[in-house]
Amino acid sequence: MHIHILGICGTFMGSLALLARELGHRVTGSDKGVYPPMSTQLAAHGIDAGHGFDAANLDPRPDLVIIGNALSRGNVEIEAVLNQRIPYTSGPQWLADNVLRERRVLAVAGTHGKTTTASMLVWILEQAGLAPGFLIGGIPRNLGVSARAGSPGDVFVIEADEYDTAFFDKRSKFVHYLPEVAVLNNLEFDHADIFSDLAAIERQFHHLVRLVPGNGQLVVADGEPALSRVLEMGAWSPVARFGRTDQAQWQIGDGVDDQQFVVRAPEGEVVVRWAMSGEHNRRNALAAMAAASAVGVTLEQSAAALATFASPRRRQELRGSVNDIQVIDDFAHHPTAIAMTLEGLRSVPSRGRLIAVIEPRSNTMKLGTMKARLPGSVASADEVYWYQPATLGWSVEEVARACPVPAHAMTTTEALIDTLVENARPGDRIVIMSNGGFDNVHERLLNALEQRHGQPVETEA
């Protein structure tokens, strides 16, 4: 079958393309404004995409078009699909019909940490010999790809997003996923472009809860009032809570340093020693361990896997260093995620400064819904640079003035890079946060630092 994917370079749709290709379909696609790592992953698998939208991309006529949720009426290819009566569906629906119905699905949901938690869970299952299929909204460095089909009847891990499905299906994506195990990692307001308030998102999360069978498992974070309200609407599956309270069946205990922590679970206790940092990652790991336990993985197997876990691409990813100045890439684009990223990096001993560079470009940020929370989100940084995207309808100057640390507002990436290069010192960590390509600032900054200091860029082995 010839499948054409609209919006193919999005993290979900690009992963879907890999699955369709693995299942034997001919895959083509369209998108614009593409950037790594998804664009390079598709190219590595021989899938040509990213040439913009044009009705000519539908010639020869595909057997099926899968339409991404970022696209809406008025897009030239959507209009051509409708006018020519070409069969079409959404990505989540295609996934449910062609992959998930034959799998034991473990779905990872939450406002933050979905990609990292799902990646941890896949790696635990992989190391335990379960050979999971998976679809993740990022590229786990341990596995090298964002999706794999797996085998019918085996486990399948999916990052379960609450964003809407398609222009013709406004339900959250995750209601299509048929989970046997559902992780509810956290929940707060986001996606202001489609949800009116937090209560609207809570209702969608309860739709997910309704789908988990009675012999399945809900893995739910403690200390999350919104998740408690979701469960109060009704739950028909066993609930395993995780966190730091005495009521949690899965608990975190502190280790001797940030690179280790204790896990107390119904089956016993184990020490996890790993290379990750931050309380948010410990909670992500705890959720992954609890979900893995639901399909038979032991505490010892989980701890051993986490010892070799590497964060996914664009999640506190060290892109390179020059003259002991590190450039780190992170996908954070919500005030809570920004704060957690910076707090996690701050917890790692360093002799230099922690410098944040932030592009507020998500749909929620464009609406200004979270603007008042942004200044406080950078309290763990030593200095912050706010970048003003052309699509942002408000000025970052106001946010910069309200920050508790020295802050700057930048309007061009050229000026941003020049200023960073001028002011960076050995030992500094520059963490660049955006949910987009950010005009390739990461590589351009490394190249500029290389020219300034006359030293080559060093990367991780």
Side-chain angles (χ1 to χ4, degrees):
M1 176 182 285
H2 174 195
I3 295 176
H4 186 74
I5 300 177
L6 302 188
I8 193 171
C9 290
T11 54
F12 175 82
M13 301 301 283
S15 299
L16 204 71
L18 297 190
L19 293 180
R21 179 72 175 268
E22 186 179 347
L23 293 176
H25 300 291
R26 178 193 171 205
V27 179
T28 58
S30 305
D31 214 327
K32 65 177 182 179
V34 303
Y35 49 85
M38 191 53 67
S39 60
T40 51
Q41 176 178 243
L42 290 172
H45 286 81
I47 300 173
D48 191 27
H51 303 296
F53 296 106
D54 192 312
N57 293 335
L58 300 170
D59 184 19
R61 178 188 174 106
D63 299 299
L64 178 69
V65 175
I66 303 177
I67 299 176
N69 70 338
L71 280 64
S72 57
R73 288 299 302 269
N75 176 281
V76 293
E77 285 195 48
I78 287 180
E79 297 305 313
V81 166
L82 297 175
N83 290 337
Q84 297 176 36
R85 306 292 197 273
I86 300 174
Y88 65 90
T89 188
S90 70
Q93 189 64 59
W94 182 88
L95 186 66
D97 292 341
N98 294 274
V99 179
L100 300 184
R101 293 191 190 281
E102 298 181 342
R103 307 300 202 276
R104 301 180 63 194
V105 178
L106 292 80
V108 179
T111 308
H112 315 292
K114 291 185 294 293
T115 298
T116 300
T117 304
S119 298
M120 289 177 180
L121 178 53
V122 170
W123 185 237
I124 289 170
L125 298 175
E126 179 82 357
Q127 292 298 99
L130 297 184
F134 57 89
L135 188 155
I136 297 173
I139 300 178
R141 284 187 288 168
N142 293 99
L143 296 158
V145 292
S146 63
R148 183 174 71 196
S151 301
D154 287 347
V155 293
F156 191 100
V157 176
I158 185 162
E159 180 176 330
D161 186 4
E162 72 271 23
Y163 213 77
D164 60 0
T165 296
F167 78 86
F168 51 87
D169 182 352
K170 306 314 288 183
R171 296 173 295 169
S172 288
K173 289 179 186 176
F174 56 38
V175 302
H176 297 272
Y177 293 161
L178 312 172
E180 176 180 320
V181 178
V183 175
L184 309 184
N185 213 1
N186 43 62
L187 178 54
E188 62 178 302
F189 185 62
D190 197 6
H191 307 310
D193 52 323
I194 62 171
F195 294 117
S196 58
D197 52 28
L198 179 56
I201 308 177
E202 290 172 5
R203 283 191 291 274
Q204 291 297 320
F205 268 69
H206 192 246
H207 293 163
L208 176 63
V209 168
R210 292 177 185 175
L211 299 172
V212 180
N215 60 358
Q217 180 83 66
L218 290 167
V219 178
V220 183
D222 66 356
E224 292 281 338
L227 292 180
S228 295
R229 290 192 293 270
V230 169
L231 295 185
E232 287 168 1
M233 298 181 200
W236 300 267
S237 315
V239 177
R241 291 190 176 272
F242 67 93
R244 283 191 177 270
T245 69
D246 292 338
Q247 290 72 39
Q249 293 98 321
W250 289 76
Q251 297 178 7
I252 303 171
D254 293 326
V256 296
D257 57 41
D258 192 64
Q259 263 59 63
Q260 63 176 277
F261 61 98
V262 176
V263 171
R264 301 183 183 95
E267 63 186 88
E269 185 174 302
V270 71
V271 176
V272 176
R273 298 175 177 85
W274 65 346
M276 303 291 286
S277 64
E279 175 71 7
H280 65 296
N281 276 323
R282 288 190 287 272
R283 289 180 67 93
N284 291 340
L286 193 63
M289 294 176 75
S293 175
V295 293
V297 178
T298 68
L299 284 180
E300 291 74 20
Q301 287 174 314
S302 289
L306 290 171
T308 59
F309 177 75
S311 63
R313 297 282 302 276
R314 304 207 66 195
R315 271 68 180 180
Q316 296 184 28
E317 178 189 2
L318 177 60
R319 293 287 290 268
S321 62
V322 175
N323 195 33
D324 200 27
I325 301 166
Q326 294 184 340
V327 176
I328 298 166
D329 185 10
D330 197 86
F331 197 72
H333 56 279
H334 182 286
T336 300
I338 292 169
M340 289 191 302
T341 293
L342 293 173
E343 289 165 5
L345 290 169
R346 172 61 71 195
S347 69
V348 178
S350 173
R351 64 182 181 279
R353 298 172 300 168
L354 179 59
I355 299 172
V357 179
I358 304 170
E359 180 191 33
R361 67 173 294 278
S362 70
N363 289 333
T364 299
M365 284 300 169
K366 290 175 185 177
L367 294 172
T369 309
M370 301 289 182
K371 183 171 67 172
R373 293 181 54 192
L374 288 173
S377 71
V378 298
S380 294
D382 293 296
E383 192 171 3
V384 59
Y385 292 80
W386 296 98
Y387 176 69
Q388 179 84 42
T391 56
L392 197 66
W394 48 272
S395 175
V396 297
E397 284 273 6
E398 180 182 346
V399 171
R401 287 195 298 269
C403 287
V405 299
H408 317 272
M410 311 300 295
T411 57
T412 70
T413 54
E414 290 79 12
L416 172 63
I417 292 169
D418 288 346
T419 304
L420 288 169
V421 170
E422 179 68 25
N423 295 329
R425 304 193 294 261
D428 285 351
R429 292 173 294 169
I430 303 173
V431 55
I432 300 172
M433 290 177 273
S434 170
N435 70 336
F438 205 166
D439 203 16
N440 199 29
V441 160
H442 321 78
E443 293 303 316
R444 291 166 58 199
L445 175 58
L446 284 168
N447 291 338
L449 287 169
E450 185 177 44
Q451 293 178 10
R452 173 64 177 264
H453 296 283
Q455 296 183 13
V457 176
E458 297 180 6
T459 57
E460 289 184 309

